[in-house]
């Protein structure tokens, strides 16, 4: 945001961008990257807490998060709901799934190496 403000963006432009981040590809990519990184961390922590059947626990965690995301993004019938482009949804869900299982794999790989 500071870079946009320094580049000459007005206060109204910044408020519009914050209100609908899908208008700026760079900001949307950053938000997707942070979200996918946290999915990887959640997969690692879920596998660590599970103790056994780590991948199944990660799949259940991802499924619950997906259901929660659908429930929260439904808009509740509001007409001013922010529309999220379909590529963001697809990349977010599949990237998050891959990151979650990668986090679980990193935990299992580290667990095998330790005595």
């Amino acid at each position: 945001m500071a870079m946009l403000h320094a580049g000459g963006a007005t206060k109204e432009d910044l408020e519009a961008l914050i209100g609908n981040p899908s208008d700026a590809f760079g900001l949307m990519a950053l938000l997707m990257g942070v979200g996918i990184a946290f999915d990887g961390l959640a997969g690692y922590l879920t596998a660590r807490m599970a103790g056994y059947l780590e991948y199944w626990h990660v799949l259940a965690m991802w499924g619950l998060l997906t259901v929660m995301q659908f429930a929260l993004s439904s808009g509740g019938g509001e007409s001013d709901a922010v529309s999220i482009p379909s590529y963001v949804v697809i990349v977010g869900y599949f990237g998050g799934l891959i990151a979650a299982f990668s986090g679980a794999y990193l935990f299992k790989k580290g667990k095998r190496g330790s005595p």
Side-chain angles (χ1 to χ4, degrees):
M1 293 298 161
M3 290 175 37
L4 292 174
H5 186 65
T10 65
K11 183 179 178 182
E12 291 80 20
D13 292 338
L14 294 175
E15 287 175 356
L17 182 62
I18 291 171
N20 190 6
S22 63
D23 287 343
F25 180 76
L27 180 60
M28 186 58 70
L30 176 70
L31 293 174
M32 282 191 306
V34 169
I36 289 172
F38 274 101
D39 282 339
L41 178 63
Y44 180 86
L45 292 175
T46 300
R48 184 174 178 176
M49 296 300 220
Y52 63 95
L53 297 174
E54 291 91 348
Y55 292 128
W56 287 103
H57 282 88
V58 169
L59 185 63
M61 179 265 318
W62 185 79
L64 287 172
L65 290 176
T66 301
V67 168
M68 287 174 38
Q69 176 63 30
F70 276 127
L72 292 174
S73 67
S74 65
E78 298 174 10
S79 61
D80 61 343
V82 175
S83 64
I84 300 173
S86 59
Y87 76 90
V88 172
V89 174
I90 292 169
V91 169
Y93 285 130
F94 287 114
L97 180 65
I98 292 167
F101 277 107
S102 297
Y105 172 77
L106 288 175
F107 172 74
K108 284 189 69 118
K109 185 173 101 174
K111 190 170 107 172
R112 276 189 240 129
S114 63

